[in-house]
Amino acid sequence: MRKRFSLMLVIMLMLVTVLAACSGGNTAEPTPGETPTETPAETPETPAEEPAEDATQNDGLFEATDMSLNPPTATNRKDTLIVGVTSPKGVFNPLFQDSAYDDMVNVILFDGFQTINGDGTYSPHLAESIDVSEDGLKYTFKLKPGVTYTDGTPVTVNDYYFSLKVLHDKSYDGPSDALSYKIKGGQDYYDGKAKEISGVTIVDDNTVEVEVTEVTALTKDFLGGISFLPEAYYGKDYKQGNVESVKALNDKPLGSGQYVMKSFQPGQQVVFEANEKYFAGAPKIKNVIYKSTTDETKLAMLNTGEIDMDMVTVNEDNVEELQAYGFLNINIFPTNGYGYIGMNHEKAKFKDSKVRQALVYGLNRAEIVEAVYGKFADVINIPQSKQSWAYTDENIEKYDFDIEKAKSLLDEAGWTVGADGTREKDGEKLTIDFSGTADNPVVDAILPIMTANYKDLGIKLNAEKLDFNAILDKTDKGDFDMFFMAWGLTPDPDGTVYITGGAQNRVKYSNEAYDKLMAEGKKELDVEKRKAIYAQAYQELNKDIADILMYQRRDAWAVNGRVTGLEITPYKDFTYSLYQAELAQ
């Protein structure tokens, strides 16, 4: 607390002049987006973290020191694990999920041929075997025998094919970009020229072959990560060209996963019951509840035992307080993702790259990041984790805070300071509407600093605080200027976040040079050559500015010491190993 008190005091004083315009709500820091579609590991490894020595370290496992302090509220729960989460939106279908919090639900309800490992690699899951032809154009998946959905019906590869059809349907509006993987006949199905995808062959109930017309570095993992949707349930009213009947079941999910969803109360909780016939072994914990928390409530709920685990904001104060409880294991590691401020590239004021560069130079990002995370985060300038093999800092502009440079760029872009101190161009005032989530320490730090910095630039900032899902709705409709969010990344650098027309391109960014480089990187199979290509792509983004990149932080999961068997890494969320978790009695 000592180190950060003065910084946070300054922020609190500045907030007095800003928050009057902000509405209330409850949400934690959002991390929507590039969530993997892989499923729980069949044989998860035990956590291999080295115990941390003290709170001066910025990652490691800080072990519980005194389990006698564990509150009865927790220890009296013998068969129920309660996990604190930001409330899901309720899109409980992995083909359509809208955020990482929906994914936390979907991972334990649905399965795919492959799963993700702790180091970011992939292993067979539902697949008994996966064979790839020598030319890389044919993939044969063999399903393990005897797998059933939670309603008792058998899982077959026809259900996998049904998922592929939905992903290739012209009306599909989810986050996946199946057409980019060039499955033979996929485009014809999308265009309505064919009733089947010609490159998919059902050999028998347990064997499917998928042919592609182009090889990419991600084809096997993409195909292996697609979740099985039971066609008898999701497809009974499906007609090619209209996926609405599939989406209508988003709140009534049916899969083959570790758990069955029993109820969902938006903004409150999701209740699950163990799938006793789970193919990889019945979950050891009978009941799981995801309880909605915020940064304002989660530490107190951990302390009283109302929840058993939660992801917490990593800073010196929180780590110190959590350690003082005595009965929590605190796992701190670099997040595979980043925080950012998105801007709407369809708005005229953001179309000039000089304006976008000015908005980065003119924002004291380092002050914001230090105030919230201290030593537990770093300012970033490319949208990639420093742990990734694709990360580069070569020829990357750091955009250190420089108010004069920012003013000069705005002058060059034709935005001149008016009589009231606000810049204007062609009769338009340079005002920015900013949306951030309520009860979020990052947003609380951004608002006063951004307001002051941009006022110095001649920009008026109008800020509002909303529920996380309300911000998702605004971005989906394109009804925004700026917003704060965070992306969680997959282990591979390929993605559609900044691709022209990309399924996850919330900000409507478009850059032909970047698109070309990303296409090249996806097709290249040699890792070193891919690394060079992605370096060029990041250099292009760094120069052109798609978003205001803020930080890569550390993540921290605080877990009651009575919970064992979970594997949590930068690449693998707790959900994948949940069925192997146990509660010490």
Side-chain angles (χ1 to χ4, degrees):
M1 289 185 186
R2 295 178 298 276
K3 181 175 179 181
R4 294 178 57 251
F5 180 76
S6 60
L7 281 168
M8 294 313 292
L9 178 61
V10 170
I11 288 174
M12 291 306 294
L13 289 172
M14 295 175 73
L15 282 174
V16 173
T17 60
V18 177
L19 294 186
C22 299
S23 58
N26 291 309
T27 184
E29 180 182 353
T31 52
E34 296 238 314
T35 47
T37 55
E38 298 78 16
T39 49
E42 184 179 351
T43 53
E45 305 165 8
T46 358
E49 299 92 346
E50 290 294 327
E53 294 178 3
D54 55 54
T56 65
Q57 293 180 229
N58 61 8
D59 55 40
L61 179 63
F62 298 80
E63 294 182 322
T65 56
D66 188 354
M67 289 303 297
S68 70
L69 298 174
N70 208 0
T73 307
T75 57
N76 289 341
R77 288 195 301 270
K78 304 301 183 183
D79 62 356
T80 301
L81 174 74
I82 302 183
V83 183
V85 300
T86 293
S87 183
K89 190 173 182 180
V91 185
F92 301 141
N93 181 324
L95 305 189
F96 293 94
Q97 63 190 22
D98 207 19
S99 78
Y101 310 118
D102 289 335
D103 184 63
M104 284 182 177
V105 173
N106 292 327
V107 166
I108 67 173
L109 300 182
F110 296 89
D111 291 313
F113 278 126
Q114 289 191 150
T115 187
I116 195 165
N117 301 317
D119 62 358
T121 60
Y122 297 88
S123 295
H125 186 54
L126 283 182
E128 186 174 69
S129 64
I130 303 173
D131 295 319
V132 183
S133 63
E134 191 172 336
D135 61 6
L137 296 177
K138 180 181 285 189
Y139 300 78
T140 303
F141 295 92
K142 186 85 172 177
L143 175 67
K144 289 178 179 177
V147 183
T148 62
Y149 292 108
T150 55
D151 66 352
T153 59
V155 176
T156 77
V157 295
N158 290 285
D159 303 319
Y160 173 81
Y161 180 34
F162 173 70
S163 293
L164 280 177
K165 284 183 174 179
V166 173
L167 291 172
H168 283 82
D169 197 286
K170 191 158 194 169
S171 66
Y172 172 75
D173 58 356
S176 183
D177 185 15
L179 286 175
S180 69
Y181 289 92
K182 306 295 183 184
I183 296 176
K184 185 179 178 182
Q187 186 66 53
D188 285 343
Y189 189 84
Y190 175 87
D191 293 333
K193 296 178 181 177
K195 297 297 182 184
E196 306 292 338
I197 302 174
S198 62
V200 180
T201 302
I202 305 296
V203 178
D204 56 45
D205 283 350
N206 284 53
T207 311
V208 60
E209 295 176 351
V210 183
E211 292 184 68
V212 298
T213 59
E214 292 181 13
V215 181
T216 80
L218 291 89
T219 302
K220 176 174 174 287
D221 294 335
F222 169 76
L223 294 174
I226 294 170
S227 297
F228 281 61
L229 297 187
E231 184 177 18
Y233 180 69
Y234 286 96
K236 59 182 182 295
D237 296 318
Y238 167 71
K239 300 237 179 349
Q240 185 178 0
N242 189 341
V243 297
E244 290 305 311
S245 63
V246 180
K247 293 168 66 175
L249 297 171
N250 282 351
D251 61 343
K252 303 175 185 67
L254 174 63
S256 61
Q258 309 165 62
Y259 285 85
V260 180
M261 191 180 87
K262 303 301 290 183
S263 66
F264 170 50
Q265 296 169 277
Q268 297 182 51
Q269 64 182 20
V270 193
V271 179
F272 306 93
E273 187 175 87
N275 175 9
E276 298 296 335
K277 296 182 179 179
Y278 188 52
F279 82 96
K284 294 179 171 62
I285 300 175
K286 182 178 180 180
N287 305 298
V288 171
I289 297 172
Y290 288 176
K291 184 176 287 290
S292 297
T293 60
T294 74
D295 266 56
E296 299 297 314
T297 63
K298 59 182 64 175
L299 265 67
M301 293 171 75
L302 284 164
N303 190 26
T304 60
E306 188 177 347
I307 58 176
D308 292 300
M309 56 185 288
D310 205 337
M311 179 182 278
V312 299
T313 298
V314 190
N315 56 47
E316 287 95 331
D317 294 355
N318 284 350
V319 172
E320 182 181 323
E321 182 173 344
L322 291 167
Q323 284 184 299
Y325 296 165
F327 58 88
L328 297 173
N329 291 323
I330 310 161
N331 184 8
I332 301 176
F333 51 86
T335 184
N336 188 38
Y338 59 92
Y340 72 102
I341 295 171
M343 63 185 89
N344 190 340
H345 287 261
E346 293 187 331
K347 297 288 182 79
K349 57 192 164 191
F350 298 127
K351 289 189 179 295
D352 190 329
S353 63
K354 289 182 179 179
V355 172
R356 301 195 297 270
Q357 289 171 355
L359 292 172
V360 185
Y361 277 121
L363 180 63
N364 197 333
R365 297 178 296 156
E367 184 180 3
I368 294 168
V369 174
E370 165 65 24
V372 182
Y373 295 112
K375 66 186 178 184
F376 292 106
D378 306 296
V379 175
I380 60 168
N381 292 292
I382 66 169
Q384 183 54 266
S385 162
K386 290 183 178 180
Q387 277 57 54
S388 171
W389 56 264
Y391 180 82
T392 185
D393 57 9
E394 184 179 350
N395 296 324
I396 297 297
E397 171 61 41
K398 293 183 178 180
Y399 289 95
D400 292 329
F401 182 54
D402 189 334
I403 202 78
E404 295 306 318
K405 189 173 183 67
K407 289 178 179 179
S408 177
L409 284 165
L410 289 172
D411 290 340
E412 291 176 29
W415 289 92
T416 58
V417 179
D420 62 352
T422 303
R423 289 182 183 266
E424 54 187 44
K425 180 181 179 181
D426 300 328
E428 179 187 358
K429 295 285 188 180
L430 189 48
T431 61
I432 294 175
D433 296 328
F434 175 88
S435 299
T437 46
D439 295 331
N440 185 324
V442 183
V443 173
D444 290 346
I446 286 173
L447 286 178
I449 295 172
M450 178 184 274
T451 300
N453 289 167
Y454 284 3
K455 182 178 180 181
D456 287 346
L457 287 178
I459 300 171
K460 182 181 179 183
L461 188 74
N462 300 315
E464 65 177 352
K465 285 187 176 183
L466 301 170
D467 175 83
F468 169 55
N469 290 322
I471 295 179
L472 282 180
D473 289 339
K474 284 176 73 74
T475 62
D476 288 343
K477 296 172 184 175
D479 179 26
F480 68 94
D481 281 353
M482 277 188 174
F483 62 87
F484 171 75
M485 279 192 186
W487 281 114
L489 300 172
T490 55
D492 195 275
D494 181 73
T496 63
V497 175
Y498 301 116
I499 295 290
T500 302
Q504 294 175 313
N505 190 341
R506 293 187 183 279
V507 297
K508 307 303 180 186
Y509 177 72
S510 181
N511 182 321
E512 186 177 344
Y514 175 77
D515 292 347
K516 182 179 178 183
L517 286 164
M518 290 298 287
E520 289 177 9
K522 188 173 184 175
K523 292 177 184 177
E524 178 56 60
L525 304 182
D526 183 278
V527 173
E528 288 305 312
K529 291 180 180 177
R530 290 189 80 202
K531 185 173 182 178
I533 293 168
Y534 288 117
Q536 293 179 60
Y538 293 138
Q539 288 159 5
E540 180 62 31
L541 280 186
N542 174 252
K543 175 182 66 177
D544 197 43
I545 302 295
D547 286 326
I548 301 177
L549 301 175
M550 293 298 294
Y551 59 81
Q552 181 192 0
R553 68 180 188 192
R554 271 70 175 172
D555 280 337
W557 274 96
V559 183
N560 192 297
R562 75 191 188 109
V563 183
T564 61
L566 292 175
E567 183 182 15
I568 306 174
T569 79
Y571 299 105
K572 183 174 182 177
D573 194 63
F574 77 92
T575 51
Y576 293 89
S577 57
L578 187 56
Y579 72 104
Q580 293 211 338
E582 297 184 69
L583 297 176
Q585 302 301 322

